[in-house]
Amino acid sequence: MARKRISQQPRQTILLVTATEAEALYFSQMRKDCRYSNMTVIWEQDCKDLSCLITTAAKMRNSGNYSSVWVVFGFADLKVSSEDVSKLLVLAEKKKVRLAWNNPSLPLWYLLHLQAPKGFVQDPKMIESALAKQFPSFSSSASYLLGEGMNLHLRLYSAKSKAAVNASSYNSLVAGKLGLAPTNIVAMLNDITEICGLADLTHNQKQLGLNKKNG
């Protein structure tokens, strides 16, 4: 009797290439918390501009045969404007790399779990100050995520849906003036869920003494 052929689609994989160490640490927290084994996060510290990040990510995509590749960055970290990013979106599309950004930086995404700013906040220090009211020791540095903020993703996770709603409201409010939405992280998160599946954080939440109600 002939053996029955097992037809199974190859497992999809996703790569996040970050501009900063803090971004790499935060999304690595996500990878661990959500048990996303088919998600890879790499801090590309040798690239100091967006063009380099896109080109490098494209090379990683080809060598690693990733299904989806994102470059994650903050405008302030790379010193880019909306015009700069808009122009490089063409290069990214050509290289089959997608861009995920925060303007001015990643802490904006943290803040959106708590509130939607009533106007464009360009100064990263203002966002850091607002977050310090909720997280007294907060710092936007990588050292925070290696110390007291090592569970930041898990603590914010229960407000993920709220962050998406706040991001949409904030984008609608200021995108017209900026020429580009201040954040498009939600698009990347949707892609991660599509590829990696739904997260199971039960074990991690018990370790922190958290549950879905108190976040």
Side-chain angles (χ1 to χ4, degrees):
M1 180 182 293
R3 291 184 179 180
K4 185 178 180 180
R5 185 182 298 274
I6 299 175
S7 178
Q8 187 175 10
Q9 291 293 330
R11 192 183 190 196
Q12 288 190 305
T13 54
I14 186 167
L15 170 66
L16 274 55
V17 179
T18 73
T20 67
E21 184 180 10
E23 289 163 333
L25 289 170
Y26 179 74
F27 289 107
S28 291
Q29 286 182 7
M30 173 188 288
R31 182 186 186 279
K32 173 180 66 69
D33 293 339
C34 300
R35 303 182 184 183
Y36 289 155
S37 59
N38 52 334
M39 172 173 146
T40 301
V41 182
I42 296 176
W43 169 34
E44 189 47 59
Q45 55 185 311
D46 292 332
C47 283
K48 305 303 180 185
D49 62 73
L50 184 53
S51 178
C52 176
L53 281 167
I54 293 170
T55 302
T56 301
K59 291 178 181 177
M60 291 181 183
R61 176 184 179 278
N62 294 331
S63 62
N65 198 30
Y66 291 99
S67 309
S68 182
V69 176
W70 290 81
V71 168
V72 187
F73 64 98
F75 280 39
D77 300 312
L78 295 182
K79 297 179 174 58
V80 292
S81 65
S82 294
E83 292 78 13
D84 296 330
V85 176
S86 294
K87 290 177 183 178
L88 286 170
L89 280 169
V90 178
L91 174 64
E93 184 175 359
K94 181 180 178 181
K95 298 286 187 180
K96 297 181 180 179
V97 171
R98 300 172 73 179
L99 305 185
W101 63 77
N102 287 292
N103 184 4
S105 54
L106 180 61
L108 169 64
W109 177 242
Y110 307 156
L111 182 64
L112 289 169
H113 288 74
L114 309 175
Q115 60 179 283
K118 299 185 184 303
F120 178 52
V121 183
Q122 185 173 11
D123 187 354
K125 291 183 179 179
M126 290 184 65
I127 296 176
E128 189 168 339
S129 177
L131 286 164
K133 295 176 182 178
Q134 177 71 23
F135 308 105
S137 60
F138 179 79
S139 167
S140 60
S141 68
S143 59
Y144 173 73
L145 294 171
L146 288 168
E148 293 188 49
M150 65 185 303
N151 292 312
L152 180 62
H153 171 263
L154 192 56
R155 292 189 175 280
L156 292 174
Y157 188 85
S158 63
K160 180 182 176 183
S161 296
K162 178 181 178 181
V165 172
N166 284 341
S168 178
S169 298
Y170 187 48
N171 285 344
S172 297
L173 181 66
V174 304
K177 299 176 183 178
L178 299 178
L180 205 62
T183 182
N184 73 334
I185 290 295
V186 174
M188 183 181 74
L189 297 182
N190 289 341
D191 195 39
I192 291 172
T193 301
E194 180 71 23
I195 290 174
C196 300
L198 297 176
D200 178 8
L201 287 80
T202 308
H203 176 69
N204 309 71
Q205 288 173 331
K206 286 180 178 178
Q207 284 185 315
L208 280 182
L210 299 173
N211 58 46
K212 292 184 178 179
K213 290 184 180 180
N214 62 29

